[in-house]
Amino acid sequence: MRLDGARVLVAGATGVLGGALTAELAGRGARPALAGRDPARLARAAEAHPGAPTAVFDAYDPASCARAVHDAAAALGGLDAVVTAFGTVAFGRAAEVGDEVAEHLSAVNALAPAAFLRAALTVMGPGSVIAAFTGVVAEHPQAGMADYSASKAALSAWLRAVRREARGSGIRVLEARPGHLETGFADRPVAGTAPPLPPGGDPRRVVAALADAMEADAELLRTAPDGTPVVERRAR
Ligand SMILES: NC(=O)c1ccc[n+]([C@@H]2O[C@H](COP(=O)([O-])OP(=O)(O)OC[C@H]3O[C@@H](n4cnc5c(N)ncnc54)[C@H](OP(=O)(O)O)[C@@H]3O)[C@@H](O)[C@H]2O)c1
């Protein structure tokens, strides 16, 4: 897809990756719309993009996710891409993590992104892109992160199935599956404490690579063990 002039909704634009991605896309000429859960943080994030439409959503209310997509499409006169860049993490052994935490991770990391992208499929046409951040745990589940890994694997499976469904429609499905990045995400868990982690990759390089992947109609962005982004035109 061509990003110059593209109308792109970034859900989770208040986060480090979502904010950096919104800036990267705008820098390439895209017209962003921003969605977030917190009105004050969302307003702050939107200050860098005067005139950009904003929408508040609640991850536990799929209708609010769909509404954010429809409102952004109405405000921008259509949508060419929708990217979900929100999520949350919890740490701890599976036997010690409560059911509420597991349910929370599933709602925020799998069901809510799917609600955004499901709505996007109904408003977007050929040549458009839906994209989501999963994470390396989707393919390499980690001890002490069973429910986080499971929620990301669920979203990854959803994306792969939808990619097959969407082939005839011309809508591209892009998965960003990076390893650990230096965004502070692991220091903001809803439960537990992160184990000592090696230095993570550079989030700016990852969002630049994600924008490249969108422009190249690629299917997968992952990171090499040293944090270098790798764009794969066809997902395996
Ligand atoms: N950083 C990494 O190492 C890494 C690696 C692989 C994948 N990822 C994925 O990348 C995504 C973004 O992470 P990040 O590194 O940018 O972290 P971040 O800066 O902490 O951003 C997290 C984003 O998710 C939003 N969020 C958290 N809980 C939410 C909820 N209950 N409802 C709605 N929104 C919620 C936050 O909103 P507020 O601003 O309102 O808090 C924020 O926009 C996540 O899905 C994460 O799993 C990150």
Side-chain angles (χ1 to χ4, degrees):
M1 74 177 297
R2 193 180 151 81
L3 281 174
D4 191 11
R7 301 153 298 180
V8 185
L9 171 62
V10 179
T14 57
V16 173
L17 288 171
L21 178 65
T22 309
E24 178 71 33
L25 297 173
R28 297 185 188 211
R31 295 168 59 204
L34 292 73
R37 64 167 162 173
D38 181 86
R41 277 198 291 278
L42 183 59
R44 252 195 322 276
E47 281 170 10
H49 307 283
T54 59
V56 175
F57 71 94
D58 175 350
Y60 280 87
D61 177 6
S64 74
C65 303
R67 202 160 46 241
V69 172
H70 292 294
D71 289 353
L76 295 175
L79 281 173
D80 302 297
V82 175
V83 186
T84 64
F86 60 88
T88 191
V89 66
F91 298 102
R93 296 175 69 80
E96 289 147 20
V97 170
D99 291 332
E100 294 91 346
V101 171
E103 185 184 2
H104 183 71
L105 296 178
S106 173
V108 176
N109 292 347
L111 299 178
F116 267 96
L117 300 178
R118 187 179 293 119
L121 290 167
T122 69
V123 301
M124 300 198 317
S128 55
V129 172
I130 61 171
F133 276 92
T134 60
V136 68
V137 295
E139 56 179 329
H140 298 294
Q142 295 296 309
M145 303 170 68
D147 293 286
Y148 177 66
S149 301
S151 68
K152 291 296 191 178
L155 180 58
S156 177
W158 190 90
L159 292 167
R160 279 180 279 160
V162 170
R163 182 178 295 124
R164 292 182 177 184
E165 289 179 9
R167 281 219 167 103
S169 69
I171 298 176
R172 309 281 183 181
V173 180
L174 169 60
E175 177 179 356
R177 203 190 289 162
H180 172 53
L181 304 171
E182 286 301 329
T183 68
F185 179 69
D187 303 323
R188 293 186 281 276
V190 285
T193 307
L197 293 167
D202 180 351
R204 286 163 308 183
R205 289 182 71 194
V206 167
V207 298
L210 185 59
D212 290 343
M214 292 171 74
E215 291 193 305
D217 293 331
E219 293 181 346
L220 180 66
L221 167 68
R222 53 182 187 80
T223 50
D226 68 355
T228 304
V230 179
V231 172
E232 293 186 3
R233 196 164 164 74
R234 295 288 162 255
R236 280 172 286 133

